[in-house]
Amino acid sequence: LDDKNSKLSEEASNYMGRIVVSIRRMQQLTDDLLNYSNISNAVEEDFEKTDLQLLLADVLEELKEIIQAKNAIIKVSELPVLKALPLLMRQLFINLLSNALKYNKQNTVPRISISLSIVGNRDIKGYGEHSELSAKNYYRIKVTDNGIGFPEEQALNIFEPFKRLHAKDKYEGTGIGLAICKKIASKHKGFITANSIPDQGATFNLYLPVS
């Protein structure tokens, strides 16, 4: 009888565990969808002078637990001060860094580099679906990792809502994080591109106009 009760208790525990995971995923999806829809409500009057260096430092502090758990090495160059929506830019960096930490290779220390350069609109490669550039020069904030990467032909698709390249039972997520990044970049009159080779890491290029 004890063995039978023990087995039932284990099955019930596993069942409840799956319910909790499902509820957590649904709550995360709801939050992400709200974030995605609310980006459109931001207006230009809400933009303010924002030090991206300080903002990124706050993001790294928020992600401190997972960074330490993975022994990740993150190298950051000096970032600019520009007019932006701090809450949205914070969400963008959280999404990009969380992705880089999530899709790391097994038995490999995650190495993430965040660098800055200024490029002219004629020198921008991989612009993809965009037909024209609104500014003469752009800040290019490049986020590079040494993770599992993805097929190059998926470079545009990954920014579409609910586009997942990996099974959700292996990598948690709602499939909308990069779509949020794309929409935030667009809200700042910029854009974001990606390039990668499977098993050789990925690079995300965030372009924001130099005012």
Side-chain angles (χ1 to χ4, degrees):
L1 185 59
D2 288 342
D3 290 342
K4 184 177 180 181
N5 288 339
S6 177
K7 183 178 180 180
L8 288 173
S9 178
E10 182 178 348
E11 290 177 350
S13 178
N14 291 336
Y15 181 68
M16 289 301 298
R18 290 194 295 271
I19 291 176
V20 170
V21 170
S22 296
I23 292 173
R24 188 184 301 121
R25 285 176 176 167
M26 185 60 69
Q27 182 62 57
Q28 185 62 58
L29 176 60
T30 301
D31 292 343
D32 283 349
L33 287 173
L34 284 173
N35 287 334
Y36 186 79
S37 61
N38 286 338
I39 293 171
S40 300
N41 297 329
V43 295
E44 192 169 344
E45 287 75 13
D46 295 329
F47 281 62
E48 61 184 73
K49 189 175 181 180
T50 305
D51 188 331
L52 293 186
Q53 192 78 34
L54 294 178
L55 186 146
L56 183 58
D58 287 341
V59 168
L60 293 175
E61 182 63 28
E62 181 171 335
L63 298 175
K64 184 177 180 179
E65 185 174 338
I66 185 173
I67 290 172
Q68 291 181 339
K70 290 178 173 283
N71 294 314
I73 298 173
I74 302 178
K75 182 179 179 181
V76 182
S77 64
E78 186 173 352
L79 298 181
V81 176
L82 46 72
K83 291 204 71 175
L85 294 160
L87 288 177
L88 293 187
M89 292 304 300
R90 180 186 181 89
Q91 185 65 55
L92 185 150
F93 280 116
I94 286 176
N95 287 0
L96 288 181
L97 289 173
S98 294
N99 258 25
L101 291 166
K102 181 196 304 183
Y103 296 112
N104 68 295
K105 291 184 287 190
Q106 286 188 347
N107 304 317
T108 300
V109 173
R111 294 179 181 272
I112 302 169
S113 172
I114 304 170
S115 60
L116 172 72
S117 60
I118 296 179
V119 295
N121 55 24
R122 294 183 179 180
D123 299 320
I124 294 176
K125 307 297 182 183
Y127 194 52
E129 65 199 64
H130 305 274
S131 59
E132 62 180 63
L133 299 170
S134 60
K136 181 178 179 181
N137 295 308
Y138 285 80
Y139 293 113
R140 180 175 69 179
I141 300 174
K142 184 165 65 173
V143 181
T144 303
D145 64 59
N146 63 337
I148 62 175
F150 56 84
E152 188 68 22
E153 60 269 22
Q154 297 291 342
L156 290 178
N157 295 336
I158 60 173
F159 294 106
E160 297 305 314
F162 307 114
K163 182 65 178 181
R164 299 181 62 96
L165 302 183
H166 309 284
K168 66 180 181 180
D169 58 342
K170 187 173 183 181
Y171 296 99
E172 288 188 4
T174 61
I176 201 171
L178 290 178
I180 289 175
C181 291
K182 177 183 176 181
K183 196 167 185 179
I184 291 174
S186 179
K187 192 68 180 181
H188 288 80
K189 298 181 180 179
F191 58 99
I192 187 169
T193 65
N195 56 276
S196 176
I197 298 175
D199 205 41
Q200 295 187 34
T203 296
F204 289 86
N205 298 288
L206 171 64
Y207 293 93
L208 298 172
V210 177
S211 56

